[in-house]
Amino acid sequence: MVVNLDLGEFLRTCRASTTPEAAGVEQPDTVAGRRVRGLRREEVAQLAGVSVDYYTRLEQGRHSTPSDAVVEALARVFRLDQAGRAHLADLASPNRRRTRQKPPQRVRPAMQQMIASMTEHPALILGRRTDVLAANALARALLTDWTRLPARERNYTRWIFLDPDARAAFLDWPSVAADVVGTLRLYAGRNPDDTRLSELVGELTIKSPDFRTWWNSHQVHERTHGTKRMTHPAVGPITLRYEALVLPGDEDQTLFLYTTDPGSPSESNLRLLALWAAA
């Protein structure tokens, strides 16, 4: 019998974090006496249209490949967003088994030249498990100089949690850090046999209590676009908008471009940072 513990852990976390009110479960007069804040297994099974025994086996990892209809029903019960639904589908996939080790990632020279030519906007390319594959001069000045780090330490998540400068750089560090962990969780669901991911998670779990807490929460996050509020010791505060662009033809590579609002103090500070970096 194939055991799927990852699926079971995710389902238990979802059940614990879904309130009866959110799921539309009718509340008895004795609702205040509930011993758990989340849903009971019987309630999840009823809402999803499956037997209690079947759902129990899913949570225990004893049934590893539920049908697409069951996955969709559970996603609906737990009110999962798009990233959460994708993660649940990944964990439930029958093809989620051992795969060949993938070769090291490389950024195409033309792409390297393109981001290097961007002197007014930070740009970097992240690969598998948030490895930093390339970054232009302004991104290195804004974040950190990845080229000075050993190759195995050039990882965005590792930097966020283990470099004190990263914690100081982001004014909203907790939300930034939680999203990064969610991104790593999403990747882990699709690549359960990535040995370097296991090494990274193991190191961060030992060295960072914050990472350990967020990793165990099983929340997932998909990077698309957003805003980051930062501060730099040389120029002061900078509010940045970013776009995450998946590179066609380059598997598991995402280009991140950062911009500021025209005419804003952040635009002026970013220009000062570009001059400072060039000097």
Side-chain angles (χ1 to χ4, degrees):
M1 180 180 65
V2 176
V3 177
N4 192 339
L5 297 179
D6 291 339
L7 175 61
E9 289 179 4
F10 185 63
L11 291 175
R12 288 194 297 274
T13 301
C14 291
R15 179 166 62 86
S17 61
T18 304
T19 64
E21 295 87 349
V25 176
E26 292 187 8
Q27 295 299 294
D29 295 337
T30 57
V31 65
R34 289 180 70 106
R35 291 182 295 176
V36 293
R37 176 178 176 271
L39 295 173
R40 300 186 179 97
R41 284 177 175 171
E42 311 87 78
E43 292 168 335
V44 174
Q46 181 179 10
L47 291 169
V50 298
S51 70
V52 177
D53 177 69
Y54 178 86
Y55 178 74
T56 299
R57 284 187 283 121
L58 285 177
E59 276 202 4
Q60 293 175 345
R62 294 188 293 122
H63 187 90
S64 59
T65 56
S67 67
D68 291 344
V70 171
V71 169
E72 180 60 30
L74 291 172
R76 185 178 63 253
V77 171
F78 297 135
R79 297 178 177 268
L80 299 179
D81 60 13
Q82 183 176 352
R85 287 170 180 262
H87 186 59
L88 177 58
D90 287 335
L91 297 179
S93 171
N95 297 322
R96 190 176 178 268
R97 296 293 175 260
R98 301 198 68 85
T99 57
R100 293 182 302 171
Q101 192 69 21
K102 297 179 180 179
Q105 290 182 288
R106 298 286 186 269
V107 175
R108 288 182 286 113
M111 186 60 64
Q112 292 269 20
Q113 295 170 9
M114 187 188 79
I115 66 171
S117 69
M118 299 177 181
T119 57
E120 297 184 355
H121 301 288
L124 70 157
I125 298 175
L126 299 187
R128 303 180 193 120
R129 71 196 77 86
T130 72
D131 286 346
V132 180
L133 304 180
N136 66 5
L138 191 49
R140 296 195 299 270
L142 178 68
L143 303 172
T144 193
D145 190 350
W146 312 101
T147 62
R148 294 179 179 270
L149 299 175
R152 293 185 72 85
E153 295 182 10
R154 296 172 190 171
N155 180 274
Y156 188 81
T157 305
R158 189 181 191 281
W159 173 70
I160 285 287
F161 282 94
L162 299 188
D163 191 332
D165 290 341
R167 189 181 290 261
F170 291 98
L171 300 180
D172 304 310
W173 185 87
S175 62
V176 171
D179 285 348
V180 168
V181 177
T183 297
L184 207 61
R185 262 292 179 194
L186 194 62
Y187 173 83
R190 296 167 181 165
N191 302 273
D193 299 313
D194 187 326
T195 55
R196 287 191 57 191
L197 172 68
S198 299
E199 293 170 3
L200 175 65
V201 171
E203 178 186 17
L204 294 178
T205 298
I206 292 172
K207 295 181 177 179
S208 173
D210 288 323
F211 177 87
R212 184 165 59 249
T213 297
W214 281 314
W215 183 256
N216 291 335
S217 74
H218 290 265
Q219 297 298 308
V220 292
H221 176 73
E222 186 170 15
R223 305 162 299 186
T224 54
H225 63 278
T227 301
K228 294 187 184 298
R229 298 192 310 130
M230 302 188 66
T231 185
H232 191 280
V235 300
I238 305 175
T239 297
L240 296 152
R241 301 185 187 278
Y242 77 89
E243 295 288 336
L245 309 173
V246 178
L247 300 181
D250 292 307
E251 186 180 6
D252 296 328
Q253 293 189 23
T254 304
L255 170 65
F256 288 82
L257 294 175
Y258 296 85
T259 60
T260 54
D261 290 338
S264 67
S266 294
E267 182 185 47
S268 299
N269 287 348
L270 189 60
R271 286 177 177 172
L272 286 175
L273 181 61
L275 294 173
W276 179 83

